[in-house]
């Protein structure tokens, strides 16, 4: 067969699929503890949704979107990120008038970006994100940061570093952008940044090629107006009080244009480098951008599940329970094989994980399958057992074997399970 999966995608099965499912379950559980509610949006959206929100000059929009035209020549894209679709749904479905404010939402789903596949970064990837819409309060910003930080700690990760910055708006932003342009005039920039410096100089700070050149650039948080600085300081003081270590990073601007206010990333030290696991911030103007009659401030974050799973594996952290069976049926005859479906139905209906051989293999091979499947018990059935309405149950850990009447099978296995 010459057909292969598309570049930048992966097949998940057995252990990998179990790890992803276990991670998704933990993410959902923790989000619900913080009173967040799940939202699911379409996997494809109108292209203009992301051009207007993420920013036409960002790499995501200008280089990385999977675009498609429908039969009426309308432009759609596979969603490259989760925030814009959530905001679209809030406006279109009028969630702000149906539920308690602030809306506290989380999502889990596939995203798509046409970029060079690399370790932990695929063209189709799973993303978890939270969005809080309808309130502007630094206490809420801290709650969102805490949710992300505690999520990673709950998974067992250590050596986490929280990085903060603040992207101001208004005249202060205009002034700072002018200072940045002047600084960049003396720098040798890559081809993309020569364009970015004219349209949005902040994007230059986020450059993957020239990032290390800009350590001496003026710090954006030195240009905050008093109210913005007061908010930024209050966030830092509360994080300190709560025992959450952090550092300021003046080059942290995130890769999306809609951020206005606090922005943050959580990274983990990986030998001699830092790996970003989670990022987010405040985007108070995004709702208003799509619907001028509405003005709902918002804050949130997102993380990629593939990178997180690789990080967990690197740190020898396994989330999924070890796969095992409660019982595996060893059939000694054709009559036993015909009886097996009835017994399996009973076992499964009683909450036991059970299976049997369907390839008519020898008893020896059946026992080997039992070992590979890590079954706790062998249930042995032959013609003699059927005549007596019994089975033999052998505990694989203790080696104890007992003859059990049909009506007592569930009771005996339940006792073994405790």
């Amino acid at each position: 067969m010459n057909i292969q999966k598309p570049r930048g995608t992966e097949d998940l099965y057995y252990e990998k699929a179990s790890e992803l499912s276990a991670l998704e379950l933990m993410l959902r559980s923790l989000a619900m503890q913080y009173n967040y509610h799940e939202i699911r949006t379409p996997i494809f959206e109108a292209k203009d949704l992301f051009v207007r929100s993420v920013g036409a000059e960002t790499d995501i929009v200008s280089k990385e979107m999977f675009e498609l035209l429908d039969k009426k020549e309308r432009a759609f894209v596979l969603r490259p990120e989760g925030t814009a679709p959530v905001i679209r749904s809030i406006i279109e479905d009028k969630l702000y008038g149906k539920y308690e404010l602030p809306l506290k939402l989380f999502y889990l789903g596939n995203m798509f970006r046409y970029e060079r596949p690399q370790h932990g970064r695929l063209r189709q990837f799973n993303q978890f994100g939270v969005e809080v819409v309808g309130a502007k309060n630094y206490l809420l910003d801290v709650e969102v940061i805490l949710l992300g930080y505690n999520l990673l700690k709950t998974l067992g990760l250590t050596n986490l570093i929280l990085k903060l910055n603040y992207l101001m708006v208004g005249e202060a932003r205009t002034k700072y952008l002018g200072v940045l342009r002047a600084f960049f005039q003396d720098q040798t920039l890559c081809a993309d940044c020569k364009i970015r410096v004219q349209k949005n100089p902040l994007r230059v700070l986020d450059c993957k090629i020239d990032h290390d050149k800009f350590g001496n650039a003026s710090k954006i948080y030195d240009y905050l107006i008093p109210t913005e600085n007061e908010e930024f300081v209050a966030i830092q003081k509360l994080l300190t009080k709560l025992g959450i270590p952090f550092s300021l990073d003046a080059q942290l601007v995130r890769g999306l244009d809609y951020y206005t206010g606090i922005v943050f990333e959580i990274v983990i030290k990986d030998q001699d480098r830092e790996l970003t696991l989670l990022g987010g911030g405040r985007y108070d103007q995004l709702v208003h951008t799509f619907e001028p009659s509405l003005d709902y401030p918002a804050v949130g974050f997102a993380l990629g599940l593939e990178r997180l799973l690789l990080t967990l594996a690197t740190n020898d952290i396994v989330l999924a329970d070890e796969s095992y069976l409660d019982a595996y049926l060893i059939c000694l005859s054709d009559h036993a094989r015909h009886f097996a479906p009835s017994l399996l139905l009973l076992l499964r209906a009683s909450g036991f994980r059970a299976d049997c051989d369907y390839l008519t293999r020898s008893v020896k091979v059946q026992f080997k399958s039992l070992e590979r499947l890590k079954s706790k018990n062998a249930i042995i059935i032959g013609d003699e057992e059927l005549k007596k309405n019994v089975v033999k149950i052998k505990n694989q850990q203790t080696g104890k074997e007992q003859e059990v009447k049909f009506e007592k099978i569930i009771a005996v296995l339940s006792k073994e399970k405790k």
Side-chain angles (χ1 to χ4, degrees), residues 43-64:
I43 207 166
F44 68 98
E45 298 268 5
K47 178 180 178 180
D48 192 50
L49 174 68
F50 300 101
V51 174
R52 293 173 61 187
S53 61
V54 175
E57 304 307 320
T58 60
D59 285 349
I60 292 176
V61 169
S62 63
K63 299 179 181 180
E64 298 174 358

PDB file of all heavy atoms in Angstrom, residues 43-64:
ATOM      1  N   ILE A  43     -14.663  22.519  13.226  1.00  0.00           N
ATOM      2  CA  ILE A  43     -13.246  22.317  12.939  1.00  0.00           C
ATOM      3  C   ILE A  43     -12.778  23.225  11.805  1.00  0.00           C
ATOM      4  O   ILE A  43     -11.589  23.422  11.607  1.00  0.00           O
ATOM      5  CB  ILE A  43     -12.981  20.830  12.615  1.00  0.00           C
ATOM      6  CG1 ILE A  43     -11.551  20.450  12.962  1.00  0.00           C
ATOM      7  CG2 ILE A  43     -13.311  20.502  11.182  1.00  0.00           C
ATOM      8  CD1 ILE A  43     -11.320  18.959  12.988  1.00  0.00           C
ATOM      9  N   PHE A  44     -13.720  23.794  11.036  1.00  0.00           N
ATOM     10  CA  PHE A  44     -13.351  24.788  10.034  1.00  0.00           C
ATOM     11  C   PHE A  44     -14.228  26.023  10.212  1.00  0.00           C
ATOM     12  O   PHE A  44     -15.374  25.924  10.659  1.00  0.00           O
ATOM     13  CB  PHE A  44     -13.452  24.227   8.606  1.00  0.00           C
ATOM     14  CG  PHE A  44     -14.852  23.930   8.137  1.00  0.00           C
ATOM     15  CD1 PHE A  44     -15.542  24.835   7.345  1.00  0.00           C
ATOM     16  CD2 PHE A  44     -15.468  22.734   8.476  1.00  0.00           C
ATOM     17  CE1 PHE A  44     -16.822  24.562   6.907  1.00  0.00           C
ATOM     18  CE2 PHE A  44     -16.749  22.448   8.036  1.00  0.00           C
ATOM     19  CZ  PHE A  44     -17.441  23.364   7.258  1.00  0.00           C
ATOM     20  N   GLU A  45     -13.662  27.175   9.889  1.00  0.00           N
ATOM     21  CA  GLU A  45     -14.341  28.456  10.077  1.00  0.00           C
ATOM     22  C   GLU A  45     -14.049  29.352   8.875  1.00  0.00           C
ATOM     23  O   GLU A  45     -13.160  29.061   8.063  1.00  0.00           O
ATOM     24  CB  GLU A  45     -13.850  29.153  11.354  1.00  0.00           C
ATOM     25  CG  GLU A  45     -14.113  28.409  12.652  1.00  0.00           C
ATOM     26  CD  GLU A  45     -15.433  28.809  13.314  1.00  0.00           C
ATOM     27  OE1 GLU A  45     -16.191  29.600  12.703  1.00  0.00           O
ATOM     28  OE2 GLU A  45     -15.683  28.342  14.449  1.00  0.00           O
ATOM     29  N   ALA A  46     -14.778  30.462   8.795  1.00  0.00           N
ATOM     30  CA  ALA A  46     -14.506  31.449   7.758  1.00  0.00           C
ATOM     31  C   ALA A  46     -13.097  32.001   7.920  1.00  0.00           C
ATOM     32  O   ALA A  46     -12.651  32.286   9.040  1.00  0.00           O
ATOM     33  CB  ALA A  46     -15.524  32.588   7.828  1.00  0.00           C
ATOM     34  N   LYS A  47     -12.365  32.131   6.835  1.00  0.00           N
ATOM     35  CA  LYS A  47     -10.990  32.632   6.885  1.00  0.00           C
ATOM     36  C   LYS A  47     -10.912  33.997   7.554  1.00  0.00           C
ATOM     37  O   LYS A  47      -9.990  34.288   8.324  1.00  0.00           O
ATOM     38  CB  LYS A  47     -10.415  32.698   5.470  1.00  0.00           C
ATOM     39  CG  LYS A  47      -9.004  33.245   5.406  1.00  0.00           C
ATOM     40  CD  LYS A  47      -8.489  33.296   3.973  1.00  0.00           C
ATOM     41  CE  LYS A  47      -7.086  33.904   3.919  1.00  0.00           C
ATOM     42  NZ  LYS A  47      -6.574  33.971   2.526  1.00  0.00           N
ATOM     43  N   ASP A  48     -11.887  34.849   7.274  1.00  0.00           N
ATOM     44  CA  ASP A  48     -11.854  36.215   7.797  1.00  0.00           C
ATOM     45  C   ASP A  48     -11.876  36.258   9.316  1.00  0.00           C
ATOM     46  O   ASP A  48     -11.394  37.212   9.923  1.00  0.00           O
ATOM     47  CB  ASP A  48     -13.041  37.003   7.228  1.00  0.00           C
ATOM     48  CG  ASP A  48     -12.908  38.500   7.487  1.00  0.00           C
ATOM     49  OD1 ASP A  48     -11.829  39.043   7.179  1.00  0.00           O
ATOM     50  OD2 ASP A  48     -13.864  39.102   8.011  1.00  0.00           O
ATOM     51  N   LEU A  49     -12.428  35.236   9.944  1.00  0.00           N
ATOM     52  CA  LEU A  49     -12.459  35.191  11.404  1.00  0.00           C
ATOM     53  C   LEU A  49     -11.055  35.302  11.980  1.00  0.00           C
ATOM     54  O   LEU A  49     -10.808  36.032  12.951  1.00  0.00           O
ATOM     55  CB  LEU A  49     -13.117  33.892  11.874  1.00  0.00           C
ATOM     56  CG  LEU A  49     -13.108  33.617  13.387  1.00  0.00           C
ATOM     57  CD1 LEU A  49     -13.996  34.620  14.112  1.00  0.00           C
ATOM     58  CD2 LEU A  49     -13.563  32.194  13.685  1.00  0.00           C
ATOM     59  N   PHE A  50     -10.101  34.610  11.388  1.00  0.00           N
ATOM     60  CA  PHE A  50      -8.732  34.598  11.910  1.00  0.00           C
ATOM     61  C   PHE A  50      -7.911  35.775  11.383  1.00  0.00           C
ATOM     62  O   PHE A  50      -7.019  36.262  12.075  1.00  0.00           O
ATOM     63  CB  PHE A  50      -8.067  33.258  11.571  1.00  0.00           C
ATOM     64  CG  PHE A  50      -8.793  32.091  12.169  1.00  0.00           C
ATOM     65  CD1 PHE A  50      -9.641  31.310  11.393  1.00  0.00           C
ATOM     66  CD2 PHE A  50      -8.656  31.792  13.507  1.00  0.00           C
ATOM     67  CE1 PHE A  50     -10.326  30.238  11.942  1.00  0.00           C
ATOM     68  CE2 PHE A  50      -9.340  30.720  14.069  1.00  0.00           C
ATOM     69  CZ  PHE A  50     -10.185  29.950  13.288  1.00  0.00           C
ATOM     70  N   VAL A  51      -8.199  36.226  10.185  1.00  0.00           N
ATOM     71  CA  VAL A  51      -7.506  37.415   9.664  1.00  0.00           C
ATOM     72  C   VAL A  51      -7.798  38.608  10.564  1.00  0.00           C
ATOM     73  O   VAL A  51      -6.903  39.378  10.910  1.00  0.00           O
ATOM     74  CB  VAL A  51      -7.940  37.708   8.216  1.00  0.00           C
ATOM     75  CG1 VAL A  51      -7.332  39.031   7.735  1.00  0.00           C
ATOM     76  CG2 VAL A  51      -7.522  36.572   7.294  1.00  0.00           C
ATOM     77  N   ARG A  52      -9.050  38.763  10.974  1.00  0.00           N
ATOM     78  CA  ARG A  52      -9.456  39.901  11.789  1.00  0.00           C
ATOM     79  C   ARG A  52      -9.025  39.775  13.245  1.00  0.00           C
ATOM     80  O   ARG A  52      -8.823  40.789  13.915  1.00  0.00           O
ATOM     81  CB  ARG A  52     -10.966  40.082  11.726  1.00  0.00           C
ATOM     82  CG  ARG A  52     -11.478  40.504  10.350  1.00  0.00           C
ATOM     83  CD  ARG A  52     -12.995  40.501  10.295  1.00  0.00           C
ATOM     84  NE  ARG A  52     -13.565  41.432  11.252  1.00  0.00           N
ATOM     85  CZ  ARG A  52     -14.877  41.525  11.508  1.00  0.00           C
ATOM     86  NH1 ARG A  52     -15.721  40.720  10.882  1.00  0.00           N
ATOM     87  NH2 ARG A  52     -15.333  42.402  12.381  1.00  0.00           N
ATOM     88  N   SER A  53      -8.900  38.574  13.744  1.00  0.00           N
ATOM     89  CA  SER A  53      -8.594  38.394  15.161  1.00  0.00           C
ATOM     90  C   SER A  53      -7.118  38.151  15.422  1.00  0.00           C
ATOM     91  O   SER A  53      -6.471  38.866  16.196  1.00  0.00           O
ATOM     92  CB  SER A  53      -9.419  37.241  15.733  1.00  0.00           C
ATOM     93  OG  SER A  53      -9.109  36.021  15.071  1.00  0.00           O
ATOM     94  N   VAL A  54      -6.569  37.127  14.774  1.00  0.00           N
ATOM     95  CA  VAL A  54      -5.171  36.753  15.011  1.00  0.00           C
ATOM     96  C   VAL A  54      -4.221  37.803  14.452  1.00  0.00           C
ATOM     97  O   VAL A  54      -3.175  38.096  15.042  1.00  0.00           O
ATOM     98  CB  VAL A  54      -4.883  35.365  14.392  1.00  0.00           C
ATOM     99  CG1 VAL A  54      -3.414  35.008  14.526  1.00  0.00           C
ATOM    100  CG2 VAL A  54      -5.744  34.307  15.071  1.00  0.00           C
ATOM    101  N   GLY A  55      -4.566  38.374  13.302  1.00  0.00           N
ATOM    102  CA  GLY A  55      -3.724  39.409  12.695  1.00  0.00           C
ATOM    103  C   GLY A  55      -3.168  38.975  11.355  1.00  0.00           C
ATOM    104  O   GLY A  55      -2.578  37.895  11.245  1.00  0.00           O
ATOM    105  N   ALA A  56      -3.361  39.811  10.336  1.00  0.00           N
ATOM    106  CA  ALA A  56      -2.942  39.460   8.979  1.00  0.00           C
ATOM    107  C   ALA A  56      -1.438  39.281   8.858  1.00  0.00           C
ATOM    108  O   ALA A  56      -0.954  38.557   7.981  1.00  0.00           O
ATOM    109  CB  ALA A  56      -3.432  40.529   7.998  1.00  0.00           C
ATOM    110  N   GLU A  57      -0.662  39.956   9.727  1.00  0.00           N
ATOM    111  CA  GLU A  57       0.795  39.910   9.614  1.00  0.00           C
ATOM    112  C   GLU A  57       1.429  38.799  10.443  1.00  0.00           C
ATOM    113  O   GLU A  57       2.648  38.625  10.409  1.00  0.00           O
ATOM    114  CB  GLU A  57       1.392  41.267  10.036  1.00  0.00           C
ATOM    115  CG  GLU A  57       0.847  42.453   9.246  1.00  0.00           C
ATOM    116  CD  GLU A  57       0.977  42.263   7.747  1.00  0.00           C
ATOM    117  OE1 GLU A  57       2.027  41.729   7.308  1.00  0.00           O
ATOM    118  OE2 GLU A  57       0.050  42.617   7.016  1.00  0.00           O
ATOM    119  N   THR A  58       0.621  38.081  11.212  1.00  0.00           N
ATOM    120  CA  THR A  58       1.187  36.991  12.010  1.00  0.00           C
ATOM    121  C   THR A  58       1.557  35.818  11.110  1.00  0.00           C
ATOM    122  O   THR A  58       0.999  35.644  10.019  1.00  0.00           O
ATOM    123  CB  THR A  58       0.176  36.508  13.064  1.00  0.00           C
ATOM    124  OG1 THR A  58      -0.998  36.029  12.397  1.00  0.00           O
ATOM    125  CG2 THR A  58      -0.209  37.635  14.007  1.00  0.00           C
ATOM    126  N   ASP A  59       2.491  35.004  11.574  1.00  0.00           N
ATOM    127  CA  ASP A  59       2.881  33.815  10.807  1.00  0.00           C
ATOM    128  C   ASP A  59       1.700  32.873  10.622  1.00  0.00           C
ATOM    129  O   ASP A  59       1.564  32.225   9.579  1.00  0.00           O
ATOM    130  CB  ASP A  59       4.020  33.079  11.516  1.00  0.00           C
ATOM    131  CG  ASP A  59       5.356  33.795  11.355  1.00  0.00           C
ATOM    132  OD1 ASP A  59       5.433  34.722  10.536  1.00  0.00           O
ATOM    133  OD2 ASP A  59       6.306  33.421  12.064  1.00  0.00           O
ATOM    134  N   ILE A  60       0.844  32.802  11.648  1.00  0.00           N
ATOM    135  CA  ILE A  60      -0.294  31.886  11.565  1.00  0.00           C
ATOM    136  C   ILE A  60      -1.164  32.198  10.357  1.00  0.00           C
ATOM    137  O   ILE A  60      -1.528  31.310   9.581  1.00  0.00           O
ATOM    138  CB  ILE A  60      -1.129  31.952  12.868  1.00  0.00           C
ATOM    139  CG1 ILE A  60      -0.335  31.360  14.036  1.00  0.00           C
ATOM    140  CG2 ILE A  60      -2.452  31.215  12.698  1.00  0.00           C
ATOM    141  CD1 ILE A  60      -1.041  31.472  15.361  1.00  0.00           C
ATOM    142  N   VAL A  61      -1.502  33.485  10.190  1.00  0.00           N
ATOM    143  CA  VAL A  61      -2.399  33.871   9.096  1.00  0.00           C
ATOM    144  C   VAL A  61      -1.663  33.952   7.766  1.00  0.00           C
ATOM    145  O   VAL A  61      -2.155  33.498   6.732  1.00  0.00           O
ATOM    146  CB  VAL A  61      -3.087  35.215   9.415  1.00  0.00           C
ATOM    147  CG1 VAL A  61      -3.817  35.763   8.188  1.00  0.00           C
ATOM    148  CG2 VAL A  61      -4.059  35.035  10.576  1.00  0.00           C
ATOM    149  N   SER A  62      -0.468  34.521   7.769  1.00  0.00           N
ATOM    150  CA  SER A  62       0.220  34.768   6.504  1.00  0.00           C
ATOM    151  C   SER A  62       0.896  33.536   5.924  1.00  0.00           C
ATOM    152  O   SER A  62       1.132  33.458   4.712  1.00  0.00           O
ATOM    153  CB  SER A  62       1.270  35.876   6.695  1.00  0.00           C
ATOM    154  OG  SER A  62       2.277  35.464   7.617  1.00  0.00           O
ATOM    155  N   LYS A  63       1.184  32.511   6.769  1.00  0.00           N
ATOM    156  CA  LYS A  63       1.959  31.376   6.283  1.00  0.00           C
ATOM    157  C   LYS A  63       1.380  29.997   6.622  1.00  0.00           C
ATOM    158  O   LYS A  63       1.636  29.032   5.907  1.00  0.00           O
ATOM    159  CB  LYS A  63       3.379  31.414   6.869  1.00  0.00           C
ATOM    160  CG  LYS A  63       4.191  32.644   6.502  1.00  0.00           C
ATOM    161  CD  LYS A  63       5.552  32.565   7.171  1.00  0.00           C
ATOM    162  CE  LYS A  63       6.412  33.780   6.853  1.00  0.00           C
ATOM    163  NZ  LYS A  63       7.736  33.703   7.507  1.00  0.00           N
ATOM    164  N   GLU A  64       0.617  29.891   7.691  1.00  0.00           N
ATOM    165  CA  GLU A  64       0.392  28.573   8.283  1.00  0.00           C
ATOM    166  C   GLU A  64      -1.024  28.027   8.187  1.00  0.00           C
ATOM    167  O   GLU A  64      -1.273  26.907   8.637  1.00  0.00           O
ATOM    168  CB  GLU A  64       0.817  28.606   9.762  1.00  0.00           C
ATOM    169  CG  GLU A  64       2.299  28.905   9.956  1.00  0.00           C
ATOM    170  CD  GLU A  64       2.681  29.082  11.415  1.00  0.00           C
ATOM    171  OE1 GLU A  64       1.759  29.000  12.274  1.00  0.00           O
ATOM    172  OE2 GLU A  64       3.865  29.306  11.698  1.00  0.00           O
TER     173      GLU A  64
END
